[in-house]
Amino acid sequence: MSRSIPFAALTDKNVKLPGKEEALRFYLTATAMVLKQFHSQMDYAFEATQICTYMIIDHASGLSTDKATDLFNKTSAQSSRNYDIQSIIKNQESGFIRELMKCFPAKAVEVKKYLHMAGYEDREIPSLLDRTVGRVPQAEYLYRGLPKRRD
């Protein structure tokens, strides 16, 4: 039998639904994968691209007004998209870390497993914790065994 639950099975009283822990792990895995997908859509080098594009628009003598307008519009749309993705990531990171801390209050290995699923490396986790929950006593167990931050 497949581990997935078809929609019709939710109304059948003879079908055994997953337990709380299995459902929780599925939810956390799905959340990690969504967060990873947003990270993959983020263009981290966009600011440099945007500066170059604006320089081309301002200083390229052979660029027609239509092409300059088109280039400006595309850059503005990409800027808006990047900003939206950045906001979503920031909001999801905070909620995800808090959920992981509630689900695994003393199991740093489990928390790190889901953070790795979301695409974070060990060296990125301390800064993620700092910007989401901070160095509070409840999160201290997550910092153990991680590389120290270098500012």
Side-chain angles (χ1 to χ4, degrees):
M1 184 174 147
S2 169
R3 302 280 299 165
S4 65
I5 304 170
F7 184 72
L10 295 176
T11 58
D12 186 355
K13 292 182 181 176
N14 297 323
V15 175
K16 185 180 179 229
L17 295 174
K20 275 185 174 181
E21 186 169 329
E22 187 179 355
L24 175 67
R25 289 187 183 280
F26 176 77
Y27 168 74
L28 292 173
T29 301
T31 304
M33 300 310 265
V34 167
L35 190 55
K36 185 175 185 173
Q37 183 66 28
F38 275 111
H39 274 288
S40 73
Q41 296 299 310
M42 181 75 180
D43 184 357
Y44 292 97
F46 180 71
E47 284 185 36
T49 305
Q50 188 176 25
I51 290 169
C52 291
T53 303
Y54 290 152
M55 288 174 62
I56 289 170
I57 290 170
D58 289 343
H59 302 294
S61 58
L63 200 59
S64 70
T65 306
D66 289 342
K67 287 195 185 253
T69 301
D70 186 45
L71 189 58
F72 179 79
N73 289 341
K74 285 180 181 177
T75 305
S76 296
Q78 183 65 29
S79 175
S80 176
R81 181 176 183 275
N82 243 24
Y83 178 76
D84 289 346
I85 291 172
Q86 206 170 17
S87 297
I88 290 169
I89 289 172
K90 184 179 177 181
N91 289 336
Q92 282 201 348
E93 280 178 343
S94 180
F96 188 52
I97 293 291
R98 291 181 199 296
E99 287 171 353
L100 289 172
M101 287 175 58
K102 279 183 196 171
C103 296
F104 308 109
K107 297 180 182 176
V109 173
E110 287 292 318
V111 172
K112 290 172 190 169
K113 177 178 91 174
Y114 286 101
L115 291 177
H116 290 149
M117 273 188 222
Y120 295 98
E121 296 176 14
D122 280 340
R123 63 182 170 79
E124 297 171 310
I125 293 174
S127 62
L128 171 66
L129 294 171
D130 287 346
R131 72 176 174 265
T132 55
V133 293
R135 278 209 179 254
V136 294
Q138 300 89 340
E140 201 58 42
Y141 72 102
L142 297 173
Y143 285 94
R144 290 190 204 118
L146 291 173
K148 302 286 184 227
R149 269 187 68 190
R150 291 189 178 119
D151 293 324

